[in-house]
Amino acid sequence: MDRRVVHGTCPHDCYDTCGLTVTAENGRIVRVDGDADHPITRGFLCFKVNRYLDRLYHSERITVPLKRSGPKGSGQFQPVSWNDALQEVGSALRRIVAESGGQAVLPYSFAGNMGILSGSSMDARFFHAIGASELERTICTASTGAALRWVYGSQLGPDPETIPAARLILLWGTNPMATNVHQIPLLDRAREQGADIWCIDPLRTATVERYGQHLALRPGSDYALALGLAAAIIAQGQHRPDFLERYVTGFDEFEQVAQAWTRERTLAATGLDGGEFDRLVEQLAAVRPILFRTGYGSQRQHDAAKTVWAISCLSLLVGSPQDVGGGHLASNGDAFGLNWDGLTRPDLRTSPVRSVNMLKLGEALLTLDDPPIRALIVYNSNPAATAPEQDSVLKGLARRDLLTIVHEQMMTDTARWADWVFPAAMSLETLDLHTSYWHRYVQLSMPAAEPLGHSVSNPEFFRRLAGAMGWHDPAFTASDEDLIRTALESDAAWMQGITWDALQQQPVQKVRLDPAVRPFIDTGIPRPDGRFNMAPLPVPIAPKDLSPLEPDEFHLLSPSRRETIKSSFGNVASVVKEGRPELLMHPDDIARLALTAGAWVIVYNRYGETRMQLKASRVPQPGTVVSYAVRWNIAAGGSNVNQLTSSTLADYGGGATFYSARARVRPGV
Ligand SMILES: Nc1nc2c(c(=O)[nH]1)N[C@H]1C(S)=C(S)[C@@H](COP(=O)(O)OP(=O)(O)OC[C@H]3O[C@@H](n4cnc5c(=O)[nH]c(N)nc54)[C@H](O)[C@@H]3O)O[C@H]1N2
Ligand SMILES: Nc1nc2c(c(=O)[nH]1)N[C@H]1C(S)=C(S)[C@@H](COP(=O)(O)OP(=O)(O)OC[C@H]3O[C@@H](n4cnc5c(=O)[nH]c(N)nc54)[C@H](O)[C@@H]3O)O[C@H]1N2
Ligand code: SF4
Ligand SMILES: [Mo]
């Protein structure tokens, strides 16, 4: 028997970027385990990837190119050969570019596969060369990124391996029991060593159940809370003038904005109890080190970037970056320093192009002109289910004159709208390089088996598309190994020694940044004046999310679901057990509206409506309802919660506002 064990890397859009030990027998993967030697993964995986073989060898995996054979959206396709498909698609794209220019082509992709090669290599070269409209990848963390760059100059945070040294931890808008399970042992260790852990979350999550101290604030009121805490700390003289003097600019302007948030006003805005507010102020003044662990749940609102700015300033006010174990951990995305220009080759673009914010997909497909979008190429993403303002997205995808090309592993809601579906390999079948947005390990992911059927990796798909365009420049024929070598040609001091050869020897390499080195304090603050910037963002300071609910209106939250990753795994029966879309509502609201738990309801607002089964739950407080993100439309009667979310952009950085949604509920049938 041919048995093979290789190091893989979990490709999903998750903080943990786990190391995997993948076993194949006779060319078929038979086991996927957590890498026992990986310092973060430590031999265990999450609920969903523990069932990975069910996704890998799912009966619905796409293994051959498919050409639409029925009306758009019907899901009817016929298999075709790669050669025929490429010939037809190549000539259609060439015609569109000749008639309307490259900008008539729109790529749409996100982080379905977080591999560097899968997300930003040959694909980017292809779109640069064709002169396509550029997609702004804003759907997830844009507001955080923009605010962090404003305050700190980059997206660097403390090493998560220092978490056990913290003595006060604020889990702010994050639910690691669902989304970041490898943080739990680190938090547990901190708690064992005496840390207080607070959860700042409108919902009573599994993380709240585990750690107890809960600030159940009103959705979207974090900006008020952060400024109110800051004002109280300044008023009590508990801020750190020495630290501020030495490292910070813009304190006076910050103080002016914060001062408006008196204790009374903050409690009214957030709905919090005065006792718990005072206790947190006391701890922020007295305890060290303090870790501000902000997730992405408090930055999917209109006031998103302001909120991240305010929390960052609060963390500076108490001098948190000074202590190992303290600081602000939102992202470590800039800890790596790969050679992005070499990988993505912006020089292949011959003239400037317009950019399209991915949150505006529906609008772009329906209204962009000069030129209109004539071809849409989707990979690593499932916008028919995950993009906001779904009604307009679906109308855009239904356009009969739109050429839609989807590279996918499964027949997703988006793939069903395609004219052409090309089979995508699974990451465990391909070579890739991974970093993480949370921890600091670089990893190689080795193929454990050949791609199933005729499926190909993302870089191979774009190599083939480039060939179909008639491009044979070495930029489009570079091998996966060439691309990884290019990515690793880095000037960054932290990347020295992390080479192709080193990764062959040891596929898990930590960036050369000692955990005891304090971000910014020891590494320098990469801003023009070398100081942290507390000055307000260049946007109106008044909050938008605090406007009162209308009668019978609810805050509608749709945070991550433990069992899936956004829509990924949504078709895996062993993972998504209950077949129906659920709406969680507090029993008091169910009684008040005379609804019936277990019955079908219609959830609606000005953007659209969708049908769900009502579930009584004390996860939300009265006034808030929850539908975890996100169901496949096809499994939920043709639509999901994104019928109700808006494509309005957040205050700064072009980010999403999924959690500012408001909706009403009526009985359904
Ligand atoms: N199992 C699982 N893991 C995942 C994902 C998944 O879908 N499933 N998704 C992955 C992706 S794409 C991402 S971006 C990350 C996100 O992971 P997280 O950073 O944890 O973010 P979310 O799941 O968006 O929301 C986290 C929490 O924020 C809370 N929240 C909502 N509104 C507010 C608010 O106004 N204020 C505050 N303070 N909290 C609020 C929600 O109730 C939720 O409990 O997780 C990744 N990991
Ligand atoms: N209501 C609501 N909507 C949300 C959110 C929310 O909290 N609430 N969260 C938002 C967030 S944070 C995010 S990040 C987005 C995520 O939204 P999407 O980017 O749509 O992510 P997924 O739903 O995981 O879909 C990824 C797709 O990529 C495919 N894929 C995986 N690997 C590969 C590969 O190697 N090659 C190719 N070609 N395809 C591959 C998978 O099969 C899957 O269908 O959703 C957003 N939508
Ligand atoms: S989804 Fe996250 S926790 Fe699960 S295996 Fe992948 S990286 Fe690890
Ligand atoms: Mo995300």
Side-chain angles (χ1 to χ4, degrees):
M1 184 173 52
D2 170 33
R3 188 162 188 276
R4 198 165 167 197
V5 181
V6 302
H7 180 83
T9 306
C10 178
H12 289 289
D13 186 354
C14 171
Y15 292 104
D16 304 27
T17 318
C18 284
L20 307 175
T21 304
V22 188
T23 309
E25 286 173 3
N26 298 327
R28 197 174 165 92
I29 296 169
V30 293
R31 282 192 72 95
V32 180
D33 296 297
D35 178 352
D37 299 326
H38 189 292
I40 297 285
T41 305
R42 298 168 69 201
F44 76 95
L45 298 174
C46 60
F47 176 82
K48 48 208 173 303
V49 176
N50 273 328
R51 291 154 180 78
Y52 212 60
L53 296 179
D54 296 343
R55 179 163 195 275
L56 194 56
Y57 296 122
H58 198 287
S59 58
E60 291 167 12
R61 247 194 91 175
I62 297 165
T63 54
V64 291
L66 299 171
K67 180 182 183 179
R68 179 166 64 81
S69 57
K72 270 224 170 192
S74 64
Q76 294 167 29
F77 294 94
Q78 70 190 51
V80 276
S81 71
W82 267 101
N83 265 346
D84 292 351
L86 284 171
Q87 235 171 36
E88 282 196 52
V89 164
S91 65
L93 284 175
R94 283 199 304 269
R95 192 174 55 244
I96 287 172
V97 173
E99 289 170 4
S100 306
Q103 295 187 94
V105 178
L106 178 69
Y108 188 99
S109 68
F110 200 63
N113 179 337
M114 295 277 286
I116 304 295
L117 268 47
S118 297
S120 294
S121 65
M122 201 51 81
D123 51 332
R125 293 181 181 189
F126 176 83
F127 292 116
H128 284 144
I130 212 170
S133 293
E134 181 160 324
L135 187 79
E136 294 171 28
R137 287 176 167 170
T138 48
I139 202 163
C140 181
T141 63
S143 298
T144 291
L148 295 180
R149 279 190 294 278
W150 177 264
V151 178
Y152 301 102
S154 85
Q155 299 193 68
L156 183 65
D159 187 328
E161 288 173 272
T162 64
I163 289 175
R167 288 298 168 267
L168 174 59
I169 300 175
L170 308 189
L171 298 176
W172 200 317
T174 186
N175 178 17
M177 285 290 284
T179 60
N180 188 192
V181 292
H182 294 86
Q183 188 173 231
I184 297 297
L186 298 162
L187 293 168
D188 283 354
R189 243 187 298 154
R191 184 168 61 168
E192 281 154 29
Q193 294 172 19
D196 265 294
I197 302 179
W198 293 69
C199 301
I200 303 178
D201 196 312
L203 303 183
R204 190 164 183 83
T205 62
T207 307
V208 172
E209 298 287 351
R210 190 178 189 90
Y211 296 115
Q213 303 192 84
H214 185 199
L215 286 185
L217 79 179
R218 183 182 163 200
S221 66
D222 305 74
Y223 175 61
L225 177 61
L227 291 176
L229 290 168
I233 284 163
I234 296 170
Q236 295 176 16
Q238 296 287 4
H239 53 301
R240 303 287 157 131
D242 293 354
F243 177 85
L244 297 172
E245 182 78 20
R246 173 142 181 224
Y247 292 110
V248 156
T249 188
F251 171 72
D252 294 343
E253 293 157 79
F254 171 76
E255 188 182 15
Q256 229 176 3
V257 176
Q259 258 170 0
W261 292 91
T262 59
R263 181 173 179 280
E264 245 183 337
R265 186 176 173 212
T266 304
L267 296 181
T270 56
L272 292 173
D273 168 85
E276 52 193 11
F277 177 84
D278 296 342
R279 207 153 56 80
L280 181 54
V281 171
E282 230 168 75
Q283 291 199 354
L284 285 167
V287 182
R288 294 288 176 277
I290 309 176
L291 178 69
F292 291 79
R293 172 69 179 98
T294 56
Y296 298 123
S298 40
Q299 57 96 59
R300 305 198 205 283
Q301 292 83 357
H302 298 119
D303 299 319
K306 283 202 282 287
T307 296
V308 180
W309 164 77
I311 300 171
S312 306
C313 290
L314 176 63
S315 86
L316 295 173
L317 200 64
V318 295
S320 78
Q322 265 180 319
D323 305 308
V324 173
H328 181 185
L329 177 51
S331 171
N332 260 309
D334 287 342
F336 297 95
L338 298 179
N339 175 11
W340 289 113
D341 278 358
L343 257 181
T344 61
R345 297 287 307 273
D347 58 293
L348 291 169
R349 194 151 66 193
T350 51
S351 51
V353 295
R354 69 181 169 198
S355 59
V356 174
N357 187 316
M358 68 191 295
L359 294 161
K360 300 284 185 188
L361 176 63
E363 193 179 307
L365 293 177
L366 294 173
T367 64
L368 262 191
D369 214 344
D370 197 24
I373 303 299
R374 293 182 58 192
L376 175 72
I377 305 183
V378 183
Y379 57 107
N380 274 357
S381 192
N382 181 16
T386 56
E389 245 170 89
Q390 186 173 90
D391 194 47
S392 65
V393 172
L394 297 182
K395 283 191 178 118
L397 291 172
R399 254 180 55 197
R400 287 170 63 180
D401 60 336
L402 178 71
L403 171 68
T404 302
I405 299 165
V406 176
H407 184 226
E408 249 301 349
Q409 298 161 338
M410 307 288 173
M411 188 50 72
T412 59
D413 290 322
T414 309
R416 293 176 72 82
W417 284 103
D419 298 287
W420 295 90
V421 184
F422 287 93
M426 288 276 181
S427 65
L428 303 186
E429 301 162 340
T430 66
L431 176 68
D432 216 324
L433 180 74
H434 288 256
T435 57
S436 163
Y437 52 89
W438 176 62
H439 63 61
R440 293 192 182 159
Y441 291 87
V442 178
Q443 292 178 80
L444 204 57
S445 193
M446 310 289 287
E450 291 292 315
L452 197 66
H454 297 275
S455 64
V456 299
S457 69
N458 293 6
E460 179 59 18
F461 175 59
F462 286 100
R463 262 179 222 119
R464 291 186 184 189
L465 270 192
M469 297 298 287
W471 305 336
H472 302 290
D473 182 283
F476 307 111
T477 55
S479 70
D480 291 348
E481 182 183 327
D482 296 337
L483 291 170
I484 292 178
R485 285 180 183 274
T486 301
L488 294 171
E489 280 164 16
S490 169
D491 299 334
W494 309 334
M495 291 295 287
Q496 297 316 303
I498 304 184
T499 59
W500 169 260
D501 294 334
L503 285 162
Q504 294 294 308
Q505 299 297 314
Q506 170 49 270
V508 183
Q509 298 266 342
K510 191 163 193 182
V511 294
R512 314 308 194 218
L513 189 58
D514 192 282
V517 170
R518 297 165 301 175
F520 307 118
I521 301 297
D522 298 322
T523 61
I525 301 169
R527 289 195 59 261
D529 63 359
R531 291 172 155 260
F532 297 123
N533 183 17
M534 286 177 84
L537 292 162
V539 294
I541 58 163
K544 200 170 161 191
D545 285 306
L546 293 177
S547 64
L549 290 170
E550 306 273 324
D552 290 342
E553 201 180 38
F554 288 90
H555 293 285
L556 168 63
L557 297 184
S558 50
S560 302
R561 179 190 177 85
R562 170 179 169 261
E563 291 79 8
T564 60
I565 292 243
K566 298 295 141 30
S567 74
S568 297
F569 295 87
N571 62 335
V572 180
S574 60
V575 169
V576 183
K577 291 208 177 80
E578 76 285 14
R580 293 164 172 170
E582 281 178 343
L583 185 76
L584 277 52
M585 186 184 275
H586 194 279
D588 293 355
D589 284 329
I590 295 184
R592 184 171 57 80
L593 296 181
L595 296 168
T596 312
W600 287 98
V601 289
I602 307 290
V603 194
Y604 64 102
N605 63 17
R606 57 189 272 238
Y607 297 105
E609 62 176 51
T610 189
R611 199 166 159 263
M612 297 185 188
Q613 196 172 29
L614 192 63
K615 183 175 174 181
S617 164
R618 290 180 191 274
V619 167
Q621 312 167 65
T624 298
V625 288
V626 180
S627 165
Y628 291 108
V630 294
R631 290 259 168 198
W632 283 34
N633 296 333
I634 191 164
S639 64
N640 70 15
V641 68
N642 279 322
Q643 281 287 331
L644 307 164
T645 53
S646 155
S647 70
T648 306
L649 303 182
D651 51 356
Y652 181 73
T657 54
F658 289 107
Y659 301 171
S660 288
R662 295 176 180 195
R664 291 189 166 83
V665 183
R666 64 167 191 263
V669 275

